[in-house]
Amino acid sequence: MVSRPFVSKADFENVFKEYFNPLVNFVNKYLHNIENSKEVVQITFVKIWHNREQIEIKTSVNAYLYQIAKNSMIDFIRKNKHNLAHAELNIMQIEQLSDDNASALDPYIVRQAIEKALAPLKPKSREIFELNKFEGLSYEEIAEYLEISKRSVEDNISKVLKHLKEELKNHPYFFD
Amino acid sequence: MWINIKGTSNKSKVGKLSKFDSILKQNKEIKNFVVSDVDSEWNSFLDMVGESTEVKKVETKPKSKIKSLIYTLSIGIAATLVLLLVFTLALQPETKIRESYTASKNNDIIQLADGSKIFLQNGASIEYPKVLSEANERKIVLNGSAKFDVTKSILPFRVYNNGIIVEVLGTEFSITQENQKVIVENHSGSVQILEAKTEIISEF
């Protein structure tokens, strides 16, 4: 099946807004500089914009964006190699990524959904949850670090988990 | 038969939960997920491809003479109100429009009305405009070190620091103040450094 997701400006805008943050964070994994990463993603979309009427996607929007972003990243490092540390090594590392990886952006799309679902929660609950799930701290460590009881850490995490499961129950990435 | 059905539904429920947990585990790889404001990123994208946002014009045609009179009257009232507001703003002393702040920790963020961000180092003090509608420049008086993320605008962004003025339109840069030395580091875009007139320094 061939899709043409960029022809209308409204569709393009939706794709841009949905994928901007996942792409920036994916690129940042290699560039380690959020401003440069944002620039690369902007360039990625500018490239797509100029060809938006011709672009036909045979794989998925996900895979397509990944590929263009990967190439834009290499172009960006080449262009700025005098200002960037380990540019050649960085290029080699990125070139080793496969050209066709439909799920490379998945973790970032998932994370965006999690961040969005976490947004309305109390900052303290979010912090406790993030320390445990993303920073890998144990309940005891969190209790000690935040000077609260272990029981309160457990309560908070189970509350956040319950909320997340409710918020994300219709998200295709989480449940089939 | 019944037991069988119950059994399968339970099993699929457990399956669902474990997928959720494994997704969370995988996500540990992403330490810091940075969320940028996609609306403002979309606007800078439109600027880059030369597609600025269109302003919708709504034409109002008064239907009758009475309506037209009310219409003219309300415009008159609105204009008077606007004029009054302008006068009140103009008559207000500058100190009310400008704000001062001293950072008590590193990376203390001040955001201007146009979205520009200033990340202050501990102890840095700043004086900045609270409103920009009447301003002809974005004048920042800085004492100490700070990093700037400036929103593009036709209003020049000027930082007065220790005898120099750093002027930009929209870019990222940082100013580090060490005793009498001022280090300006540019991260993207371009900045211009001018020498400040003495009265500005004494104003500080």
Side-chain angles (χ1 to χ4, degrees):
Chain A
M1 218 182 72
V2 175
S3 69
R4 292 153 63 83
F6 300 116
V7 178
S8 92
K9 192 174 165 183
D11 288 347
F12 187 98
E13 183 177 348
N14 286 338
V15 173
F16 180 97
K17 289 184 174 173
E18 196 182 323
Y19 284 92
F20 187 85
N21 281 316
L23 278 168
V24 166
N25 285 279
F26 161 72
V27 169
N28 195 42
K29 186 181 173 188
Y30 300 95
L31 297 190
H32 305 290
N33 176 313
I34 208 76
E35 293 312 321
N36 289 347
S37 303
K38 277 194 201 173
E39 199 175 325
V40 166
V41 175
Q42 287 281 9
I43 294 168
T44 303
F45 279 110
V46 170
K47 279 184 191 164
I48 297 172
W49 177 265
H50 291 313
N51 300 307
R52 69 185 191 281
E53 319 231 305
Q54 287 83 43
I55 293 172
E56 289 184 343
I57 294 178
K58 294 180 186 81
T59 50
S60 64
V61 175
N62 207 325
Y64 182 79
L65 288 174
Y66 159 79
Q67 203 184 331
I68 310 284
K70 184 194 149 189
N71 294 335
S72 306
M73 216 166 11
I74 296 173
D75 292 347
F76 179 86
I77 301 171
R78 289 226 167 92
K79 215 186 251 175
N80 297 289
K81 64 179 166 196
H82 301 298
N83 303 319
L84 297 169
H86 317 297
E88 293 301 327
L89 205 71
N90 211 190
I91 290 177
M92 266 169 59
Q93 182 196 14
I94 297 164
E95 275 174 340
Q96 273 167 12
L97 296 172
S98 87
D99 246 344
D100 178 26
N101 184 348
S103 56
L105 294 180
D106 285 358
Y108 300 91
I109 293 166
V110 160
R111 181 59 165 269
Q112 172 164 265
I114 297 175
E115 295 285 338
K116 214 172 153 188
L118 288 175
L121 296 176
K122 282 187 204 142
K124 199 84 195 167
S125 304
R126 285 181 57 181
E127 188 184 9
I128 293 170
F129 179 82
E130 283 164 4
L131 285 171
N132 177 246
K133 299 294 174 193
F134 303 135
E135 302 288 328
L137 262 63
S138 70
Y139 290 1
E140 286 85 359
E141 286 168 327
I142 296 170
E144 196 180 318
Y145 173 64
L146 295 176
E147 295 176 349
I148 50 175
S149 72
K150 195 188 154 198
R151 179 64 200 271
S152 156
V153 175
E154 285 168 2
D155 285 352
N156 272 291
I157 288 177
S158 73
K159 257 186 219 152
V160 175
L161 272 175
K162 200 178 153 204
H163 168 83
L164 275 187
K165 281 172 185 163
E166 185 55 38
E167 285 290 303
L168 299 170
K169 68 181 174 200
N170 295 320
H171 196 285
Y173 280 93
F174 290 91
F175 305 112
D176 335 81
Chain B
M1 199 55 182
W2 280 104
I3 297 162
N4 204 356
I5 292 167
K6 256 192 171 173
T8 36
S9 77
N10 257 343
K11 201 178 168 189
S12 70
K13 208 175 174 185
V14 171
K16 278 182 175 181
L17 296 186
S18 70
K19 192 180 175 190
F20 185 88
D21 286 339
S22 73
I23 283 175
L24 275 183
K25 264 191 197 125
Q26 281 169 26
N27 236 283
K28 255 188 195 171
E29 282 173 37
I30 311 167
K31 281 273 180 231
N32 279 316
F33 188 88
V34 180
V35 183
S36 311
D37 174 18
V38 285
D39 291 323
S40 76
E41 294 295 339
W42 172 246
N43 286 335
S44 20
F45 173 80
L46 289 177
D47 280 348
M48 277 198 323
V49 292
E51 293 260 329
S52 48
T53 30
E54 310 141 50
V55 180
K56 276 186 197 161
K57 267 193 179 173
V58 185
E59 268 184 55
T60 339
K61 281 181 190 165
K63 276 175 190 156
S64 68
K65 276 192 178 171
I66 297 167
K67 274 195 177 166
S68 141
L69 184 65
I70 294 170
Y71 186 68
T72 327
L73 264 176
S74 53
I75 287 184
I77 293 167
T80 320
L81 282 175
V82 168
L83 267 176
L84 264 174
L85 186 72
V86 169
F87 272 118
T88 349
L89 277 176
L91 287 174
Q92 264 179 354
E94 210 200 7
T95 41
K96 285 226 166 152
I97 302 174
R98 296 180 67 81
E99 190 86 59
S100 354
Y101 181 76
T102 304
S104 53
K105 60 176 197 275
N106 278 336
N107 280 326
D108 225 354
I109 303 180
I110 292 285
Q111 187 155 20
L112 298 193
D114 65 351
S116 297
K117 288 193 193 107
I118 304 164
F119 304 86
L120 297 167
Q121 286 298 96
N122 193 7
S125 65
I126 196 167
E127 195 205 296
Y128 62 98
K130 229 162 97 179
V131 261
L132 290 169
S133 45
E134 296 284 306
N136 50 16
E137 63 170 350
R138 293 174 282 176
K139 178 181 171 185
I140 315 291
V141 184
L142 169 74
N143 191 7
S145 305
K147 194 174 158 280
F148 297 83
D149 185 351
V150 180
T151 305
K152 282 201 181 90
S153 154
I154 47 159
L155 276 187
F157 189 99
R158 296 195 183 105
V159 185
Y160 296 70
N161 177 280
N162 204 21
I164 64 159
I165 306 173
V166 183
E167 180 178 325
V168 295
L169 289 175
T171 184
E172 268 165 62
F173 65 100
S174 56
I175 295 180
T176 318
Q177 198 180 341
E178 286 170 5
N179 302 323
Q180 288 309 303
K181 249 197 334 198
V182 178
I183 302 159
V184 180
E185 208 181 327
N186 188 20
H187 303 301
S188 77
S190 61
V191 299
Q192 196 181 5
I193 299 169
L194 311 159
E195 220 173 302
K197 291 175 198 146
T198 28
E199 65 252 33
I200 293 155
I201 311 163
S202 55
E203 200 181 273
F204 190 78

